[in-house]
Amino acid sequence: MEEHSRIAPGLTGRRLRLRAMRWEDADALLRCWSHPESAYWLGIRPLTSREDAEELIRLLLEMERGEESLRWSIELSGGEVIGSCGYNNWQLQGAFRGEVGCELSPAFRGRGYMREALALALCYGFEEMGLNRVEAQCHPANLRSGRLLASLGFRREGTLREYRHTPSGFQDVDLYALLRREWRDYITLEREGS
């Protein structure tokens, strides 16, 4: 197996960078993916071992090589990996649409890191991939994620009833979306505000 992804470009923000996922990220990502709250919002069983994390990294890298998804490790400026984010899927022909997903280790929540990481991913999606629409799904009770998405300009479009099958049964998800023209307006406002 390859050590690094072939596709995920490095993206640098003010306090963090998005970089290709690596095998050595397994322990850090396990801390994120094994947390019961993270697993619940993601609709998965909490991972329980480094081998579980390595298997998920292998799957994500395999999907990336097949251009089915694009996932970055979120790394602080000191080199610590605190989560991941990226495009779960996209469709460039005809729809020009993608779907983002993210998770952050609980110890780093509430500090604006995920907002910064998703802003980098959104810039890449709209400016480099040529997306016109980016969607995100979150559990209706995940108020923190809903606020995060709204802070980036996403609009809640509705609830997809029993949309996701999880270890605890069928689960509703709220669908959020952001259009390229809305992102341009958002970026303009952000720049004028700083």
Side-chain angles (χ1 to χ4, degrees):
M1 285 206 153
E2 292 181 32
E3 172 116 12
H4 300 283
S5 157
R6 293 183 191 171
I7 300 173
L11 305 174
T12 303
R14 190 171 57 82
R15 301 178 298 161
L16 54 81
R17 74 180 181 126
L18 304 184
R19 63 154 173 80
M21 215 171 253
R22 301 176 186 154
W23 297 114
E24 59 265 25
D25 298 343
D27 288 329
L29 292 172
L30 177 63
R31 285 190 290 279
C32 181
W33 294 332
S34 65
H35 192 274
E37 183 180 327
S38 297
Y40 179 75
W41 296 135
L42 291 169
I44 63 172
R45 291 191 192 288
L47 302 188
T48 58
S49 68
R50 179 182 171 87
E51 290 75 26
D52 287 348
E54 288 174 345
E55 178 59 24
L56 187 49
I57 290 170
R58 185 198 62 73
L59 176 65
L60 291 168
L61 291 175
E62 184 177 298
M63 291 173 65
E64 189 171 298
R65 280 191 293 277
E67 296 190 6
E68 298 173 53
S69 75
L70 181 61
R71 201 72 170 184
W72 289 277
S73 287
I74 302 170
E75 182 182 73
L76 295 180
S77 57
E80 184 175 7
V81 172
I82 62 172
S84 78
C85 72
Y87 288 91
N88 298 332
N89 57 62
W90 63 82
Q91 182 181 353
L92 295 180
Q93 295 300 318
F96 299 96
R97 178 181 64 235
E99 178 192 307
V100 291
C102 58
E103 62 279 332
L104 196 64
S105 291
F108 297 94
R109 293 179 187 160
R111 301 183 198 178
Y113 291 127
M114 189 54 76
R115 187 174 190 277
E116 184 176 342
L118 281 179
L120 290 169
L122 290 167
C123 277
Y124 183 78
F126 288 125
E127 295 172 10
E128 301 299 324
M129 294 172 70
L131 298 174
N132 181 61
R133 175 184 167 94
V134 176
E135 298 173 351
Q137 299 174 7
C138 73
H139 190 286
N142 191 344
L143 302 179
R144 182 186 298 264
S145 285
R147 285 191 304 268
L148 168 65
L149 293 168
S151 79
L152 288 163
F154 281 81
R155 294 184 188 177
R156 184 181 169 277
E157 295 188 336
T159 300
L160 303 172
R161 299 178 308 134
E162 297 188 4
Y163 186 76
R164 186 166 39 194
H165 186 264
T166 71
S168 60
F170 289 99
Q171 187 182 85
D172 294 349
V173 297
D174 281 346
L175 177 64
Y176 289 80
L178 178 64
L179 304 180
R180 181 187 312 194
R181 62 182 163 78
E182 295 167 337
W183 176 250
R184 285 185 189 137
D185 293 343
Y186 169 82
I187 290 296
T188 301
L189 289 172
E190 282 286 301
R191 287 182 182 142
E192 289 172 358
S194 37

